[in-house]
Amino acid sequence: MSTLTNKLWRNHGGLHLPEHKTISTQQPVQCLSAANLPELVIPLLQHARFYPEPVVKVGNNVYKGQALAKAKGYSSLPIHASTSGQIIAIEPRPIPHLSGLNDTCIILKPDGLDTWTPERLEPLANYTDYTAERLRQRICGAGIVGLGGAVFPAALKLETQGTALHTLIINGAECEPYITCDDMLMREKAQEIIAGIQIILHIFHEHTDPKGLHCLIGIEDNKPEALQAMQQTLAHSQDSRIQVVAIPTIYPSGGEKQLIHILTGREVPSGQRPLNVGILCHNVATTRAIYRAVVLGEPLISRYVTITGSGIKAPQNVEVPLGMPIKHLIAAAGGYTQHQPALVMGGPMMGINLANDTLPVVKATNCILVEAAIQPPPALPCIRCGKCADVCPVSLLPQQLYWHARARHLDALEHHHLFDCIECGCCSYVCPSHIPLVDYYRFAKGEVLKQRETQEKAELARARHEFRQERLERLKREKAEKLAQHKKASQEPTAPSSEVDSKKVAIQAALDRVKAKKSPAPSVSEDKPA
């Protein structure tokens, strides 16, 4: 068994930001019901990878927890009905996404009964009796994704790929200002989180480091109630494999690679995953969803969401059914304090702007930030102060990335490790010229990916063309060889000359005999010679 330690390591860069967290943690989490809503808008794609395939049609009646779309392919996940009702449309609708575009959604009209499906997933309360593959199938079938923001399919992260795991990191840092949904989840559902961790540990018990597998739960020290709740629950569980660790409050300590370094001192190499170095990282909300899927048989159809900001009357946390329009969350929090405030999904550093409050809650929705609409100051020329490099948590050179992004020097961007950027916004926050640096990096990433796709298509086209040319040349060579063989065969005698002559003599003799037989016999004269 690996020895648990309280030693912590310091990341490069980072910021101490105004927290604004206590305004939304003064009351218990409110559970919102979808039963009496006019409609739920459930996007098909709520995870990072491929679309699922709808299994319902317009007019179908569905139950709560029933699958609306099934996984299509290895990296796809199903989606489920958040309540019972009728499917009234399957059509493009606006979704909360950085692109601001529409996407295919299933529109569900609740019937007010909130009736669970009779084909509910079978509870696997004695999960230790099941194989790791069976548990991964359950987690995949429940549609569980990483609820910390990346929404990567959780079951895929639980595949070892032959790597021995030695450390499980549970991310309870929640470092971004305003967001408190994980804080409240740890206060109120600590037992379910610990139980979810134990399920993950069981899944990996056959693929662990020879020294054993242990778990570190990283929580920022500005969450004393959450720390206390988790520590007390852990003490009751008496599981020596798990340890709660308080870490310093600094943004962005909740980044996956940043938290791993803080807790273990290990660095995940550029372009690799934590599993490549024997570490797995999951969010606290994800572990709770895993527990409910395995032990209770519940798919992922709701989540904790923070409603906060100066533009809301009663900031708080709510448990929300997926697909609920944001305006109903706003109403549950007392409504707006001002006319036409700005809406952000996520926090002020990494959140995305929302066009309006009719957009639905999705699996990636952890916070709705309501603030006064403020026009950002105009960007000024870069003065090369270097502050952006000082605060970058992944030790990049944001200024160089900015120049290359503006000039579209795509090869240079990759050379400067553009894709190591976690888009935390620290560089934009400290820039005295108010340059929206992260926007440039996002644009540049899209251009690089587009170039890669174009190059891959060109390479595929080139390979297909070369294969075709080779095939035509091969056919041409084969045809020429056959013609040459026929020509050579026609020029060569079929047998030696002596053998040919003997055959000709035999044939001629046979013909002569046949001719002789056919000729009339000569007449005999009766006259005798004198």
Side-chain angles (χ1 to χ4, degrees), residues 377-509:
L380 302 173
C382 173
I383 61 174
R384 300 178 182 270
C385 64
K387 290 183 178 180
C388 53
D390 293 338
V391 299
C392 179
V394 287
S395 301
L396 298 178
L397 298 173
Q399 177 185 317
Q400 295 297 321
L401 290 173
Y402 165 65
W403 289 114
H404 290 306
R406 285 195 59 180
R408 299 198 180 191
H409 295 159
L410 303 185
D411 293 337
L413 285 168
E414 295 204 67
H415 175 73
H416 283 82
H417 305 291
L418 170 66
F419 284 91
D420 284 350
C421 171
I422 62 174
E423 301 178 15
C424 64
C426 286
C427 53
S428 300
Y429 186 86
V430 300
C431 180
S433 296
H434 309 296
I435 300 172
L437 295 169
V438 173
D439 292 345
Y440 281 95
Y441 306 152
R442 286 173 177 163
F443 168 78
K445 287 180 181 180
E447 290 298 298
V448 172
L449 293 175
K450 188 186 302 182
Q451 183 189 59
R452 287 181 184 175
E453 183 180 359
T454 302
Q455 289 176 344
E456 289 175 359
K457 289 181 178 179
E459 183 65 22
L460 177 61
R462 183 190 64 79
R464 292 178 61 189
H465 174 72
E466 290 180 352
F467 178 79
R468 180 176 182 275
Q469 291 298 108
E470 175 60 27
R471 180 172 59 84
L472 294 176
E473 290 293 330
R474 186 179 70 252
L475 293 175
K476 186 177 180 181
R477 288 195 305 269
E478 292 174 354
K479 184 176 181 180
E481 290 173 359
K482 288 181 180 180
L483 289 174
Q485 291 175 358
H486 285 304
K487 184 176 181 181
K488 183 178 180 181
S490 64
Q491 292 176 349
E492 293 179 352
T494 59
S497 58
S498 59
E499 185 178 342
V500 172
D501 292 343
S502 63
K503 286 184 177 181
K504 285 183 177 180
V505 171
I507 293 171
Q508 187 60 42

Side-chain angles (χ1 to χ4, degrees), residues 325-399:
I326 292 171
K327 62 183 180 181
H328 296 289
L329 280 69
I330 301 297
Y336 297 114
T337 61
Q338 52 194 277
H339 182 62
Q340 292 185 339
L343 295 176
V344 174
M345 188 178 84
M349 302 297 289
M350 300 182 68
I352 60 173
N353 294 321
L354 302 179
N356 54 63
D357 59 9
T358 63
L359 300 174
V361 171
V362 294
K363 294 178 182 180
T365 307
N366 59 352
C367 177
I368 301 298
L369 177 60
V370 187
E371 290 282 86
I374 300 175
Q375 187 68 23
L380 302 173
C382 173
I383 61 174
R384 300 178 182 270
C385 64
K387 290 183 178 180
C388 53
D390 293 338
V391 299
C392 179
V394 287
S395 301
L396 298 178
L397 298 173
Q399 177 185 317

Side-chain angles (χ1 to χ4, degrees), residues 245-310:
V245 183
I247 64 173
T249 300
I250 184 170
Y251 179 81
S253 59
E256 183 177 66
K257 293 184 178 181
Q258 286 67 47
L259 184 59
I260 289 172
H261 183 258
I262 291 172
L263 293 174
T264 69
R266 292 176 178 264
E267 292 191 4
V268 180
S270 177
Q272 294 190 27
R273 296 169 54 192
L275 198 57
N276 296 125
V277 295
I279 298 174
L280 177 70
C281 189
H282 268 301
N283 175 265
V284 289
T286 308
T287 61
R288 186 230 181 183
I290 288 173
Y291 160 77
R292 298 190 71 83
V294 172
V295 177
L296 304 180
E298 292 184 6
L300 181 58
I301 57 175
S302 66
R303 66 157 300 154
Y304 275 32
V305 179
T306 303
I307 310 295
T308 187
S310 62

Side-chain angles (χ1 to χ4, degrees), residues 122-304:
E122 176 192 0
L124 307 178
N126 298 322
Y127 61 85
T128 55
D129 296 337
Y130 298 89
T131 64
E133 182 58 29
R134 177 71 179 89
L135 296 177
R136 281 194 292 265
Q137 290 174 356
R138 164 55 57 86
I139 292 167
C140 177
I144 297 176
V145 300
L147 296 176
V151 290
F152 188 82
L156 290 185
K157 290 185 73 172
L158 294 175
E159 293 188 355
T160 62
Q161 300 177 347
T163 303
L165 190 72
H166 56 75
T167 306
L168 172 64
I169 303 289
I170 300 301
N171 191 340
E174 197 169 49
C175 59
E176 191 161 0
Y178 286 100
I179 308 176
T180 59
C181 56
D182 286 349
D183 184 358
M184 296 302 295
L185 184 69
M186 288 185 285
R187 296 187 196 187
E188 298 189 356
K189 304 295 181 181
Q191 186 174 358
E192 295 185 4
I193 295 171
I194 297 297
I197 293 171
Q198 291 171 330
I199 293 172
I200 297 174
L201 292 174
H202 172 71
I203 289 175
F204 281 100
H205 79 282
E206 295 180 355
H207 300 277
T208 61
D209 187 275
K211 296 181 181 179
L213 174 63
H214 67 274
C215 172
L216 300 175
I217 307 173
I219 305 173
E220 281 191 333
D221 55 15
N222 64 347
K223 304 175 180 61
E225 294 89 349
L227 280 164
Q228 182 180 10
M230 294 293 288
Q231 288 168 342
Q232 288 178 349
T233 303
L234 183 58
H236 290 152
S237 73
Q238 297 182 343
D239 195 330
S240 60
R241 300 170 299 174
I242 307 173
Q243 181 182 15
V244 176
V245 183
I247 64 173
T249 300
I250 184 170
Y251 179 81
S253 59
E256 183 177 66
K257 293 184 178 181
Q258 286 67 47
L259 184 59
I260 289 172
H261 183 258
I262 291 172
L263 293 174
T264 69
R266 292 176 178 264
E267 292 191 4
V268 180
S270 177
Q272 294 190 27
R273 296 169 54 192
L275 198 57
N276 296 125
V277 295
I279 298 174
L280 177 70
C281 189
H282 268 301
N283 175 265
V284 289
T286 308
T287 61
R288 186 230 181 183
I290 288 173
Y291 160 77
R292 298 190 71 83
V294 172
V295 177
L296 304 180
E298 292 184 6
L300 181 58
I301 57 175
S302 66
R303 66 157 300 154
Y304 275 32

